[in-house]
């Protein structure tokens, strides 16, 4: 990143409080940091410290109580989730069980009303990226945990978001697969520039 370019993500004094009065719970307290474009950034902390709440705020699933969130210079605090150039892969992948692998990857593109030929090409490209081409016609119930994770990643990457958030993406995998997927995630991030 050059010295003159702006950060991809900026959080400035972000707070999130659930409830009011003496029973209120402060999930985020004055969080401030920057993430550069094309940077692989990791949040670490114990269970319950606010990591998922922070990711949900970035994605727009949680409205912050105070503070500013900027994506590439644009204040997105009041931008609805579906208008943010952000996609999230959740810990449990959330694949649609009644859709094939290809249909799951195509879902977001269809919602964005992309042309059919673009959808077909993008789905093929994403499945190739995550090495799942030969599983295109399978249902999620016919996949291993690692394969399901790859499909969820392909689905999140298909609309070409500016920012990709991963919420504990490796927690459901065994140690050997976790180590392999760490390397693959870095490679995919490098290839896509997201």
């Amino acid at each position: 990143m050059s010295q003159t370019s702006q950060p991809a993500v900026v959080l400035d004094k972000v707070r999130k409080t659930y409830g009011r009065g003496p029973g209120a719970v402060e999930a985020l307290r004055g969080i401030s940091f920057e993430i550069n474009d094309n940077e692989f950034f990791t949040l670490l902390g114990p269970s319950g410290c606010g990591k998922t709440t922070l990711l949900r705020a970035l994605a727009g699933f949680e409205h912050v109580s105070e503070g500013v969130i900027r994506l590439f210079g644009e204040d997105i605090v009041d931008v609805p989730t579906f208008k943010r150039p952000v996609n999230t892969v959740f810990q449990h992948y959330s694949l649609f069980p009644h859709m094939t692998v290809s249909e799951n990857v195509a879902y977001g593109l269809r919602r964005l009303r992309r042309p059919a030929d673009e959808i077909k090409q993008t789905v093929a490209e994403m499945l190739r990226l995550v090495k799942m081409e030969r599983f295109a016609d399978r249902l999620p119930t016919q996949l291993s945990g690692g394969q399901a994770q790859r499909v969820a990643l392909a689905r999140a990457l298909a609309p070409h978001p500016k920012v990709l958030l991963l919420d504990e993406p490796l927690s459901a995998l065994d140690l050997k697969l976790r180590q392999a997927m760490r390397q693959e995630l870095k490679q995919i991030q490098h290839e896509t520039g997201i």
Side-chain angles (χ1 to χ4, degrees):
M1 181 173 148
S2 69
Q3 298 287 38
T4 59
S5 63
Q6 64 188 355
V9 177
V10 174
L11 278 82
D12 187 21
K13 298 179 182 127
V14 171
R15 281 187 60 245
K16 174 63 182 175
T17 305
Y18 294 100
R20 296 176 187 259
V25 175
E26 193 171 39
L28 302 174
R29 183 182 308 142
I31 305 295
S32 297
F33 62 81
E34 295 182 358
I35 304 172
N36 294 321
D37 192 14
N38 204 21
E39 182 175 6
F40 201 97
F41 189 90
T42 304
L43 295 171
L44 298 173
S47 182
C49 74
K51 299 180 303 289
T52 297
T53 301
L54 184 59
L55 291 179
R56 290 177 56 81
L58 271 166
F61 297 119
E62 294 282 351
H63 192 76
V64 297
S65 305
E66 282 181 23
V68 175
I69 301 174
R70 283 192 204 90
L71 251 57
F72 295 93
E74 178 188 354
D75 184 348
I76 61 163
V77 166
D78 294 319
V79 174
T81 304
F82 69 94
K83 289 189 176 180
R84 293 184 187 200
V86 175
N87 264 347
T88 307
V89 177
F90 293 102
Q91 182 177 358
H92 300 292
Y93 313 137
S94 303
L95 297 177
F96 299 111
H98 63 288
M99 293 183 183
T100 65
V101 165
S102 288
E103 291 167 338
N104 265 282
V105 176
Y107 180 78
L109 299 170
R110 286 196 177 105
R111 299 264 311 162
L112 293 169
R113 293 181 168 78
R114 300 277 171 82
D117 57 337
E118 180 186 332
I119 292 173
K120 185 177 179 180
Q121 180 181 344
T122 303
V123 168
E125 177 187 325
M126 292 300 112
L127 290 179
R128 198 168 29 258
L129 182 68
V130 298
K131 300 176 179 97
M132 289 294 292
E133 311 99 295
R134 64 189 183 106
F135 299 95
D137 296 324
R138 289 202 187 169
L139 293 171
T141 56
Q142 298 170 313
L143 303 174
S144 70
Q147 291 167 339
Q149 183 200 42
R150 290 169 193 263
V151 175
L153 187 58
R155 183 177 64 186
L157 290 168
H160 300 290
K162 290 183 178 180
V163 175
L164 180 66
L165 305 173
L166 305 170
D167 188 11
E168 298 193 39
L170 308 177
S171 63
L173 307 177
D174 64 50
L175 179 61
K176 187 176 178 182
L177 191 52
R178 242 191 333 260
Q179 291 169 336
M181 283 306 296
R182 274 190 206 119
Q183 292 302 105
E184 285 197 40
L185 285 171
K186 278 296 285 178
Q187 181 63 34
I188 289 168
Q189 187 262 341
H190 178 73
E191 288 180 35
T192 61
I194 297 173

